[in-house]
Amino acid sequence: MNITVEIGDFRQAETDAVLIPILEDDLHNELLLAADAALEGRIQAFLNLGDFKGKPKTTSVLYTNGAITAPRIILVGLGIYAELNAEKVRQVSGHTARQARDMGLKSITVPIPPETQEDWAQAAVEASLLSLYEFKQHKTQKDDKEDEDKSLESMTLLVGSEVEKSSLERIVERGETIANGTILARDLSNQPGNHLTPTQLAEKAEEVAETAGLNCTVFDKPTLEEKGFRTLLAVAQGSVEEPKFIILEYTPEGEEHDTVALVGKGITFDTGGISLKSGSGMHEMKHDMSGAAAVLGAMQVIGHLKPAVRVIGIIATTENMPGSTAIKPGDVVTSYGGKTIEILNTDAEGRLILADALGWTAQYEPKGVIDLATLTGAVITCLGHIAAGAMGTDDALMEKVKKAADKTHERVWELPLWDDYDEGVKSKVADVQNIGDGTAGTLAGAAFLKKFAEGYPWVHLDIAGTAWGMKNSTYIPEGASGYGVRLLVQLVEDW
């Protein structure tokens, strides 16, 4: 959908529908009064019936019968003003954009009052775009021709002056940039494993780097062997697909900038290896690279927005397959930093590749490191599909993550990472083992990662419950959510 900003009067707008936002506790705002006057009192007469009260995510369509240029006015409920926030604006905007599309409309126009808050306007742009997302790259036949042809092509935002236009255009551009990064992450996560191998993910990273002005380095298998990425190589050795290690760098102009590192787990398909998963639901393991997708999407956005922070995006990527050369339970491997790991379950592979990635990250001397990984099913038992589990070693960094999560509504919930949990990952034959004692699985995964996230502030986000399967949101579809992109961008910009 194309979003433009114009100066004009909604009564003369050539569009399929004009959207009039209405507060539940203010059914007489200036915009509504102007629309009512144009329709000779028909809107107020309709409201007096009590069928439409302005409650959140409710709409009513009124036909103008030539009273204004547009054939329809759509009343959009926002709820009570005191309860309105950016997330409620997102939910309303997503609901309305979807409804307009499903009605078969091609264009909509939204008058924007001058007092509209910037974060609300940005939220509306992001949600409108994200709500219309569909993943249909591999469909060759239409399920329903009528529905297939429905596409909302344009949204025009109307303002009253050049100053308002300039300001809103900047907000729209930012919202579109963030939405595009989220859509990139969704597309990558939704791709089947045969259409997104580690090599193809690395190629996509190089493409993103070129368009977003980033530096990109990709380590192939011989380079990984030379540099000692033994845990990444160990996970990869059961697959014919070669592993890759991707480094994306954004460096702002000037000197003396903090460095922040974003680290993503990129298992492009996870069978569990020798510790084979059950067949039920295994197809969803194409999403096991959602952490990597979030990092790549965020780096694309960061390259375009150009914040005053140096950002390093790091992605370790491979398949986890049960080939004849695959790692076995009981094997011992040595990580990039030199620590030895006893592998007791080959399905706890994400933490293995992150061990190398976190060890490598230390050389950048970062002021903060955030890793994102679909690490444990246990986090879904704990938090459902509502929030990511957050664990870390630095309170100040954790607070930054929480604030960014609150602003973007990509929710996190801090779980304890006390030293007590270290006991569960101690090994009798190596420095550490890759599973815990069978309890607190999410914390065992974080306790393992903590051993390799040394020398810098670190927060781990277990996104197994939020990377896909999220519900009850108007702008998050079935399948991949793109979770993490907006949170990471907000974190970096707030730095």
Side-chain angles (χ1 to χ4, degrees):
M1 179 174 66
N2 184 43
I3 302 178
T4 57
V5 183
E6 296 180 4
I7 299 172
D9 186 331
F10 72 88
R11 289 163 288 199
Q12 278 82 51
E14 295 185 0
T15 181
D16 290 339
V18 173
L19 274 56
I20 304 293
I22 297 181
L23 291 162
E24 190 174 348
D25 53 348
D26 182 10
L27 297 179
H28 304 284
N29 64 72
E30 184 176 335
L31 186 58
L32 180 61
L33 291 174
D36 185 53
L39 268 64
E40 299 179 342
R42 279 186 280 149
I43 294 179
Q44 193 57 58
F46 169 71
L47 293 175
N48 290 341
L49 294 174
D51 295 345
F52 181 83
K53 302 179 185 300
K55 291 186 178 297
K57 294 189 290 186
T58 60
T59 56
S60 275
V61 180
L62 301 178
Y63 297 94
T64 65
N65 298 324
I68 64 174
T69 303
R72 304 170 189 84
I73 283 180
I74 301 179
L75 306 181
V76 179
L78 293 174
I80 297 171
Y81 181 78
E83 298 175 357
L84 196 59
N85 55 37
E87 176 59 16
K88 289 194 175 179
V89 171
R90 290 187 196 99
Q91 293 295 338
V92 169
S93 300
H95 170 80
T96 306
R98 280 186 182 180
Q99 185 185 41
R101 177 197 62 192
D102 294 345
M103 288 173 60
L105 307 185
K106 298 295 184 184
S107 63
I108 55 176
T109 295
V110 188
I112 305 297
E115 65 273 13
T116 302
Q117 295 180 201
E118 287 193 6
D119 61 330
W120 292 1
Q122 180 184 319
V125 170
E126 290 176 9
S128 296
L129 293 168
L130 293 176
S131 69
L132 300 176
Y133 174 84
E134 294 178 296
F135 186 76
K136 294 185 176 180
Q137 295 182 22
H138 303 294
K139 278 187 170 288
T140 62
Q141 296 180 340
K142 298 178 180 180
D143 296 327
D144 185 315
K145 186 177 187 306
E146 182 180 356
D147 288 343
E148 190 77 14
D149 290 338
K150 290 179 179 178
S151 175
L152 183 58
E153 297 174 355
S154 67
M155 178 166 70
T156 302
L157 306 180
L158 286 184
V159 295
S161 70
E162 282 291 345
V163 173
E164 292 173 71
K165 182 174 185 288
S166 177
S167 176
L168 189 55
E169 282 177 335
R170 175 179 54 80
I171 294 168
V172 168
E173 182 179 4
R174 175 182 163 81
E176 288 178 325
T177 301
I178 293 172
N180 287 338
T182 305
I183 288 169
L184 169 63
R186 288 178 179 177
D187 280 344
L188 291 172
S189 181
N190 279 327
Q191 282 290 0
N194 64 327
H195 287 270
L196 188 71
T197 63
T199 296
Q200 290 168 314
L201 181 57
E203 290 171 350
K204 186 63 179 180
E206 290 173 330
E207 178 186 320
V208 167
E210 184 175 354
T211 59
L214 308 171
N215 290 326
C216 182
T217 304
V218 178
F219 294 163
D220 58 12
K221 185 177 179 181
T223 305
L224 293 171
E225 291 171 342
E226 175 189 341
K227 292 184 178 294
F229 284 75
R230 298 180 187 88
T231 53
L232 174 55
L233 290 164
V235 175
Q237 69 191 44
S239 173
V240 296
E241 295 290 344
E242 291 195 356
K244 301 291 181 182
F245 192 78
I246 304 163
I247 306 165
L248 295 160
E249 300 181 62
Y250 162 75
T251 304
E253 295 182 359
E255 299 178 358
E256 302 298 325
H257 294 290
D258 284 352
T259 297
V260 176
L262 314 175
V263 181
K265 169 189 169 184
I267 301 293
T268 57
F269 193 80
D270 182 19
T271 66
I274 295 298
S275 305
L276 193 67
K277 295 177 181 290
S278 68
S280 175
M282 191 191 287
H283 64 283
E284 293 183 329
M285 290 301 98
K286 66 182 182 180
H287 295 303
D288 208 20
M289 40 61 65
S290 295
V295 168
L296 186 50
M299 290 303 296
Q300 174 178 282
V301 177
I302 288 165
H304 288 296
L305 295 185
K306 302 187 185 310
V309 184
R310 183 183 182 223
V311 186
I312 311 295
I314 294 174
I315 295 169
T317 179
T318 180
E319 289 183 335
N320 184 27
M321 300 291 284
S324 60
T325 57
I327 50 173
K328 306 170 292 296
D331 284 358
V332 175
V333 297
T334 303
S335 69
Y336 173 82
K339 289 187 175 68
T340 56
I341 304 168
E342 180 186 16
I343 298 170
L344 295 181
N345 188 317
T346 65
D347 194 25
E349 85 299 328
R351 64 199 68 181
L352 295 176
I353 69 171
L354 287 175
D356 276 352
L358 292 171
W360 172 263
T361 301
Q363 67 183 283
Y364 299 103
E365 299 181 353
K367 299 295 184 183
V369 175
I370 299 91
D371 81 69
L372 296 90
T374 48
L375 207 72
T376 68
V379 79
I380 304 175
T381 303
C382 180
L383 298 173
H385 294 281
I386 303 299
M391 296 138 278
T393 57
D394 186 87
D395 290 341
L397 180 59
M398 182 65 75
E399 284 304 310
K400 290 179 185 290
V401 170
K402 288 179 180 179
K403 287 179 180 178
D406 287 343
K407 288 182 180 179
T408 58
H409 205 73
E410 293 199 317
R411 286 172 159 171
V412 303
W413 188 259
E414 184 178 2
L415 300 172
L417 193 56
W418 300 313
D419 293 343
D420 309 60
Y421 292 107
D422 294 347
E423 292 295 319
V425 294
K426 283 186 177 179
S427 169
K428 294 180 179 179
V429 300
D431 295 328
V432 66
Q433 65 186 37
N434 77 325
I435 58 173
D437 59 8
T439 65
T442 299
L443 295 165
F448 175 90
L449 292 177
K450 185 175 71 169
K451 301 293 184 182
F452 304 91
E454 296 181 327
Y456 49 74
W458 164 74
V459 166
H460 161 62
L461 297 180
D462 191 334
I463 64 170
T466 53
W468 75 96
M470 297 184 76
K471 299 177 180 178
N472 303 318
S473 176
T474 66
Y475 61 93
I476 300 176
E478 293 183 9
S481 66
Y483 177 96
V485 173
R486 295 184 299 115
L487 187 159
L488 293 176
V489 171
Q490 190 70 54
L491 173 79
V492 168
E493 288 211 305
D494 288 347
W495 196 265

